[in-house]
Amino acid sequence: MTRFIRISNADGKAWVLPTKGMRTALYLYQPGGIKGKLLKRFLPLLWRFSLVRRLLHIEQVSRPYPELDARLRQAFDLTGEYAIALFEGTPCVHQKATMQVFQGSKIYGYVKLSDRPSVTALFEKEKEILDYLQAVGVEHVPTCLSLTECEIDGKLFTVFIQDTNKGLNSRVLHDWSALTEEFLMQLEKRTSLIAPFSQTTLYDNIQAAYPVAPAFLQERFAALLSEYEGREIVCCLNHGDFTPWNMYIQDGALEVFDWEYASFCNPVGLDRCHFRLQTGIFEKKLSAEQLIERYIRTAEEKDLYRLYLLHICAHYLRRDPRCVESREMKIWMDILNQI
């Protein structure tokens, strides 16, 4: 019988991994820093040592969510023994668990689950987005195989199941490249439209976030609403979290997943801004001044990044007003103040 261990870190994140097939299980984990990359590479060899177990807070646990067995077998057409790995989710108002399902070196797909109504709404939206992307011919995105409910430990969970093309030869792309640009150009080509500014998700986010925003952002929101009142702009479907941890390269193509924060109608170019600033903040540890120096030099760039920064600030405030104290929010507002 397969044993499972639970590993946690100082950020409150935790993973449940099988001791058999751990190397494949760790494809659920997409680290950006050197420490995480070393952990992913060497944990299958080192977890047995007591010192390593103490340092990484490793404990033995039972197999998570056995109630999902029948649904997983049906969705992925599984026979015989299969394995799972679980990420318990990033602590936040939309925390959700994510499970990887595999047999040997074959990864079949991913399962997201939560008992929170707000997260259920995100799953429903993601299914709508993925169905639409399939309908308009956007390639290299997952297919939603099932959106169902399951009672687990007396609570009703919503279960989102999707396929994947990820394999053991896949790799994460941490820098902007021709592949990232090619994917976004495909997305824009197949989903672009001209829309009134008042029909964009950016507009909706600002309206919802305005009452809880600090005075500095309220001023910026009001100025943007006044500037764009009555205007039409070029929009497209935005991914919403277009970052290295939501994509991978497989067989020469960029595969993009986690579309739960996507929006059907937002200004073209926001995903490009998001990739560059988020990798700069979280992976390269750049300051506001360094980010401006790298990415926001021309008047055109300033206009686009202003839209993006007001969008992302409003999105986070709408989700959880307490985020105003977060490191990334402070950097975003610092950049806004300087451009």
Side-chain angles (χ1 to χ4, degrees), residues 2-7 14-29 39-40 43-44 47 58-64 83-88 100 102:
T2 301
R3 293 186 298 164
F4 290 83
I5 59 171
R6 183 178 184 271
I7 178 173
W15 293 260
V16 177
L17 306 170
T19 56
K20 179 182 179 181
M22 190 181 295
R23 194 168 298 280
T24 304
L26 281 165
Y27 274 74
L28 177 65
Y29 178 47
L39 176 66
K40 181 173 181 176
L43 183 64
W47 73 270
I58 292 177
E59 57 182 328
Q60 187 168 328
V61 296
S62 58
R63 180 188 178 99
I84 62 168
L86 181 76
F87 171 50
E88 295 182 359
Q100 176 179 282
F102 62 99

Side-chain angles (χ1 to χ4, degrees), residues 197 202-203 206-207 210 213-231 303 306-307 310 336 339:
F197 179 73
L202 169 56
Y203 178 87
I206 288 175
Q207 294 288 355
Y210 191 93
F216 167 79
L217 280 177
Q218 287 184 340
E219 292 175 6
R220 299 303 191 278
F221 289 158
L224 187 73
L225 293 175
S226 176
E227 178 183 349
Y228 278 82
E229 184 178 5
R231 289 176 56 178
D303 287 342
R306 182 167 59 100
L307 286 178
L310 291 173
L336 269 173
I339 65 172

Side-chain angles (χ1 to χ4, degrees), residues 48-165:
R48 294 178 179 85
F49 294 95
S50 58
L51 176 61
V52 174
R53 291 199 298 271
R54 287 198 302 271
L55 289 173
L56 299 177
H57 309 287
I58 292 177
E59 57 182 328
Q60 187 168 328
V61 296
S62 58
R63 180 188 178 99
Y65 302 118
E67 299 90 342
L68 295 179
D69 178 68
R71 286 171 171 80
L72 300 183
R73 290 187 180 278
Q74 181 179 13
F76 298 117
D77 194 23
L78 295 168
T79 58
E81 185 179 0
Y82 65 93
I84 62 168
L86 181 76
F87 171 50
E88 295 182 359
T90 302
C92 66
V93 294
H94 288 162
Q95 184 170 358
K96 61 187 177 297
T98 301
M99 180 185 295
Q100 176 179 282
V101 180
F102 62 99
Q103 282 181 325
S105 61
K106 167 68 175 177
I107 302 173
Y108 284 88
Y110 292 88
V111 182
K112 297 190 285 191
L113 60 156
S114 176
D115 62 345
R116 301 183 183 187
S118 60
V119 181
T120 293
L122 290 178
F123 293 165
E124 292 170 348
K125 176 185 174 184
E126 184 169 13
K127 182 182 187 307
E128 181 185 10
I129 293 285
L130 290 179
D131 289 348
Y132 173 74
L133 292 174
Q134 297 282 341
V136 299
V138 173
E139 299 178 324
H140 308 300
V141 299
T143 298
C144 177
L145 302 177
S146 175
L147 180 62
T148 185
E149 293 180 332
C150 181
E151 185 173 322
I152 301 172
D153 293 333
K155 295 181 179 180
L156 191 63
F157 279 71
T158 301
V159 183
F160 179 97
I161 304 177
Q162 66 183 34
D163 65 5
T164 187
N165 289 325

Side-chain angles (χ1 to χ4, degrees), residues 13 15 20 33 40 45 66 68 71 77 88 98 174 177 194 225 231 241 243 250 262 309 318 327:
K13 298 176 182 178
W15 293 260
K20 179 182 179 181
K40 181 173 181 176
L45 301 174
L68 295 179
R71 286 171 171 80
D77 194 23
E88 295 182 359
T98 301
H174 292 279
S177 76
I194 305 294
L225 293 175
R231 289 176 56 178
D241 195 11
T243 52
Q250 180 69 40
L309 289 164
R318 183 178 188 177
R327 172 175 171 263

